[in-house]
Amino acid sequence: FAPPPSEFNFARYVMELNASRTNKLAYIDDAGEYTYGELFDRSRRFAGLMQSLGLHREERVMVCLTDTIDFPSAFLGCLYAGIVPVLVNTQLTTDDYAYMLANCRAQAVVVSASVLPTMTAALSRCNHEVKQVLVSQPEKALDEGILNLQISLDTSALGIAAITAADEMAFWQYSSGSTGKPKGTVHTHGNLYWSDALYGKNILRLNEDDVVFSAARLFFGYGLGNGIIFPLCAGACAVLMSERPTPQAVFKQLTQRRPTIFYGVPTLYVSMLNSPALPARSEVALRLCTSAGEALPREVGEKLSEHFCCDILDGIGSTEMLHIFLSNRNGDVQYGTTGKPVPGYEVELHDEAGCVCEAGKIGELYVKGPSSALMYWNNREKSQHTFIGEWLKSGDKFWRDDEGYFHYVGRSDDMLKVSGQYVSPFEVETTLMRHPAVLEAAVVGKQDDNGLVKTKAFVVLTDDYTPNEELVSELKNFVKSKLAPHKYPREIQFLPELPKTATGKIQRYKLRD
Ligand code: 3SK
């Protein structure tokens, strides 16, 4: 792929790409349908609104929106004006928002009505600079001084386009590590171009006839690529859903909107497979599914692909790399693996001495590619630890087989060493999940009376089983019969559900505590 020109604005780029698609559908959300013409008109008005409120280039706007047409309009509108949207999770606490508002020094906040009370509390707590709060789809009258986004857009003039550089700061996302405060991850206009060129075009091969639907929300890097970057670069149509992506809600979209591509996460796929309402192949129009966020267990991938007669592409990305850089390919899927490097990215595994690992050896994953973030905002120490020259240290452990497929072992900080040997929580969890009693499992390290680390499993049972001591022994024996003896969980605790992030990742650190 040719690099983007040095003068490059992603919003203007997609507007030009879709100039002949004025009447083609770009989005379908819970409230209606929007053509490319309407999307770009809303985006330009959003840019005009920000400019009329006195926002300048490079200033930040916090975007805290659920998945409706307002999200892509605000995102593209900011980019068009050279203003920097800071995309934040809609399910955070007052403390989180207060920290982020102060950290990014947002001059305006665009927020969904459902998040307004939490955001208002955060705004009153921090010593902020916010000039204006705008609310998307309010259901009741707003306090004086707060603007209704739709009404403001209706009366706003079209904004003035900014001439930006490909390497210029375009938007931020917050990356949450297992410890410490969230880190403002700064991405460029060029990064948006590259993640589409390398993954959207080469791996998904999206075209204008595709209809895509992402269970991962737009504020998450995975969702942003799925629902904005890739469909807009292909002239495709994206379905947006505001409510939580439960299996029922997802089935409704799959059967009624009939997307050709569905982007899911492993925990959702597990629940979908366990639901009696799982639609038949004939009821859906899928040509491809993707999975990210955490590794997709082999059995889950195989069962789902058999059911829907299409490939499920498991891959891994990161907030820092913007989207997926290691992935299975359509027609070349090894279930239970994360596939091979996406062409355009280089991936290496490093051992503890920093040397590149040979096949079969577990190592720390490093990735190099053109969509890598610039830095973490105001955090030199963490930036230097993660962005190492041209390489990015991902914090994940993998091994590579002789055919070049990468096998996920776990987060570097979730890895356990039991009896001097590595134990991958993921391997024990997926083994447990092969037992019919186990819906989900999470494995952590727990010190025994001698201070030695042993594995402990937290298990959510399927509907047909109830917790009892016999089942504990049965599950331990089941793992012992499948894995090396040091790997079976010495302790098993049953839970009604596992603690998870908004994007479905198991929060093992909460279980460790
Ligand atoms: O978690 C992932 O695998 C991921 C994928 C795409 C973009 C962002 C992330 C964190």
Side-chain angles (χ1 to χ4, degrees):
F1 281 95
S6 56
E7 217 172 68
F8 179 78
N9 180 293
F10 184 77
R12 292 177 64 194
Y13 170 68
V14 293
M15 287 175 187
E16 278 155 28
L17 274 181
N18 294 295
S20 62
R21 296 196 177 94
T22 309
N23 296 318
K24 185 179 181 299
L25 270 194
Y27 283 102
I28 303 175
D29 75 5
D30 298 335
E33 301 187 339
Y34 313 86
T35 62
Y36 272 93
E38 286 162 338
L39 168 70
F40 295 147
D41 181 65
R42 292 175 74 95
S43 306
R44 288 195 176 100
R45 284 182 195 281
F46 189 94
L49 176 58
M50 292 297 114
Q51 288 165 339
S52 71
L53 291 170
L55 268 93
H56 302 112
R57 276 183 64 165
E58 291 162 24
E59 287 182 338
R60 271 79 65 193
V61 170
M62 182 173 280
V63 174
C64 185
L65 294 174
T66 57
D67 285 14
T68 72
I69 188 65
D70 286 341
F71 196 118
S73 310
F75 182 73
L76 294 176
C78 285
L79 262 49
Y80 186 79
I83 293 165
V84 177
V86 177
L87 312 180
V88 299
N89 189 330
T90 52
Q91 281 152 351
L92 300 180
T93 63
T94 303
D95 282 350
D96 293 322
Y97 293 133
Y99 172 79
M100 290 171 180
L101 283 165
N103 180 256
C104 74
R105 297 184 42 221
Q107 304 292 300
V109 174
V110 192
V111 61
S112 286
S114 55
V115 196
L116 184 60
T118 319
M119 188 60 77
T120 307
L123 285 163
S124 65
R125 182 176 307 179
C126 67
N127 182 14
H128 64 82
E129 304 173 44
V130 174
K131 294 190 181 99
Q132 187 63 60
V133 177
L134 301 108
V135 182
S136 163
Q137 307 185 357
E139 276 166 8
K140 51 182 191 198
L142 296 168
D143 287 349
E144 216 184 308
I146 297 185
L147 294 179
N148 176 319
L149 177 62
Q150 186 58 53
I151 296 175
S152 307
L153 285 180
D154 288 344
T155 51
S156 171
L158 300 184
I160 299 161
I163 299 178
T164 53
D167 287 342
E168 184 167 327
M169 168 160 87
F171 74 102
W172 300 16
Q173 284 182 306
Y174 275 93
S175 157
S176 48
S178 48
T179 53
K181 291 282 185 206
K183 303 177 289 283
T185 310
V186 179
H187 278 287
T188 67
H189 285 267
N191 291 357
L192 291 157
Y193 170 92
W194 279 115
S195 77
D196 173 66
L198 302 182
Y199 181 79
K201 295 213 179 345
N202 258 346
I203 304 295
L204 297 178
R205 296 181 184 272
L206 233 67
N207 66 70
E208 67 168 357
D209 296 326
D210 275 313
V211 176
V212 304
F213 172 51
S214 175
R217 325 273 68 197
L218 294 171
F219 60 71
F220 178 52
Y222 181 42
L224 182 74
N226 300 342
I228 295 187
I229 310 174
F230 311 141
L232 295 189
C233 286
C237 172
V239 175
L240 302 177
M241 179 179 82
S242 231
E243 74 184 276
R244 203 166 68 83
T246 58
Q248 282 298 343
V250 168
F251 296 157
K252 195 169 157 208
Q253 301 293 345
L254 294 185
T255 53
Q256 294 186 357
R257 305 293 189 198
R258 295 177 61 83
T260 52
I261 298 191
F262 174 62
Y263 314 95
V265 294
T267 46
L268 174 64
Y269 285 135
V270 170
S271 314
M272 285 168 63
L273 280 172
N274 275 293
S275 166
L278 181 68
R281 165 73 246 190
S282 56
E283 295 175 85
V284 303
L286 294 171
R287 73 165 177 87
L288 191 66
C289 293
T290 67
S291 183
E294 59 183 333
L296 182 72
R298 180 166 57 83
E299 287 78 10
V300 178
E302 281 172 354
K303 274 193 205 154
L304 207 70
S305 98
E306 203 178 305
H307 183 87
F308 283 136
C309 300
C310 69
D311 283 338
I312 320 295
L313 305 186
D314 188 18
I316 184 172
S318 70
T319 306
E320 292 76 6
M321 291 307 289
L322 185 46
H323 211 273
I324 291 174
F325 51 84
L326 185 61
S327 176
N328 281 282
R329 315 286 154 81
N330 210 354
D332 175 17
V333 179
Q334 287 289 327
Y335 288 105
T337 82
T338 316
K340 296 180 177 174
V342 170
Y345 292 100
E346 277 180 61
V347 174
E348 284 183 356
L349 301 178
H350 291 187
D351 66 15
E352 277 162 22
C355 302
V356 176
C357 296
E358 60 201 55
K361 291 272 181 297
I362 292 176
E364 177 101 35
L365 189 123
Y366 283 71
V367 53
K368 178 170 133 181
S371 64
S372 171
L374 292 175
M375 61 176 154
Y376 298 130
W377 185 255
N378 283 359
N379 198 332
R380 191 172 171 83
E381 190 193 332
K382 290 234 160 68
S383 297
Q384 284 182 332
H385 194 73
T386 304
F387 302 95
I388 302 163
E390 289 181 292
W391 291 87
L392 178 114
K393 185 176 173 182
S394 89
D396 296 287
K397 282 221 154 66
F398 275 85
W399 63 277
R400 185 174 39 85
D401 65 26
D402 290 330
E403 289 163 63
Y405 293 95
F406 283 70
H407 297 245
Y408 184 68
V409 180
R411 285 289 301 167
S412 304
D413 43 14
D414 279 331
M415 281 297 287
L416 307 172
K417 232 175 182 183
V418 180
S419 313
Q421 297 175 78
Y422 272 122
V423 176
S424 151
F426 178 71
E427 188 185 18
V428 183
E429 288 159 11
T430 48
T431 306
L432 276 164
M433 283 165 66
R434 288 162 65 188
H435 190 284
V438 180
L439 180 64
E440 285 184 294
V443 170
V444 299
K446 192 187 169 200
Q447 283 195 341
D448 68 9
D449 293 342
N450 296 315
L452 297 172
V453 174
K454 293 284 179 278
T455 47
K456 173 170 178 178
F458 292 86
V459 165
V460 179
L461 292 177
T462 49
D463 286 343
D464 301 335
Y465 289 80
T466 43
N468 60 58
E469 271 316 301
E470 242 175 67
L471 187 54
V472 170
S473 313
E474 188 179 321
L475 292 177
K476 286 183 182 176
N477 287 332
F478 182 77
V479 178
K480 261 192 219 170
S481 72
K482 307 250 179 284
L483 298 179
H486 70 280
K487 293 187 177 173
Y488 85 91
R490 307 303 147 113
E491 206 182 322
I492 294 183
Q493 185 178 331
F494 298 108
L495 290 179
E497 59 183 31
L498 298 177
K500 287 185 191 146
T501 63
T503 50
K505 282 190 200 186
I506 297 172
Q507 293 170 306
R508 291 193 185 79
Y509 73 95
K510 287 201 172 156
L511 297 169
R512 273 197 291 269
D513 293 342

